[in-house]
Amino acid sequence: MAFGIQLPITTDSISGFTNINDFKTLIKANFKMLILTNPGKVIRSPQFGVGAATFLFENRGTGVGPRLKNKIIQQASIYLPVIEVKDVIINEETEDSNAIHVTIKYVVPNLGIQDLLEFTI
């Protein structure tokens, strides 16, 4: 049983596109999509999205990390209430001065899932 299509889209010989076949992968993909989507890009839900990439262009001394962390927690509680965010670690001190590394620890209590979402924007 497929829950969705894996992003980025790839093909396989069984169903044509690589599918997401488990809840853990589906929730992680939806969480990442929520974080990377800019507000205003979803027509019927203009408040949807953290817009993480927009934080790259702000002055680093203006509390970018705490604001990004709060936005991630707020958006997850609204749009992915099955997720319980345990910790968000924002590392602005990366090798690339134009990047921010984000690590999010979260659980899905109803399914007994613990996971980690890491990415660099």
Side-chain angles (χ1 to χ4, degrees), residues 5 9 17 21 27 45 49 61 66 73 97 104 106-107:
I5 296 174
I9 295 175
F17 295 108
N21 297 317
I27 290 168
S45 190
I73 292 169
S97 62
I104 304 168
Y106 66 95
V107 297

Side-chain angles (χ1 to χ4, degrees), residues 27-72:
I27 290 168
K28 189 174 205 169
N30 287 341
F31 195 16
K32 187 174 182 181
M33 192 65 61
L34 174 68
I35 293 167
L36 296 178
T37 300
N38 289 332
K41 293 295 179 182
V42 178
I43 294 172
R44 293 192 181 256
S45 190
Q47 302 302 315
F48 178 90
V50 171
T54 62
F55 287 84
L56 286 174
F57 304 105
E58 297 186 20
N59 292 327
R60 296 295 168 101
T62 60
V64 170
R67 285 197 338 272
L68 178 55
K69 178 180 178 174
N70 290 337
K71 184 85 172 184
I72 290 169

Side-chain angles (χ1 to χ4, degrees), residues 103-118:
T103 303
I104 304 168
K105 297 175 186 176
Y106 66 95
V107 297
V108 183
N110 293 344
L111 299 176
I113 295 172
Q114 295 182 10
D115 207 354
L116 187 69
L117 177 59
E118 289 187 281

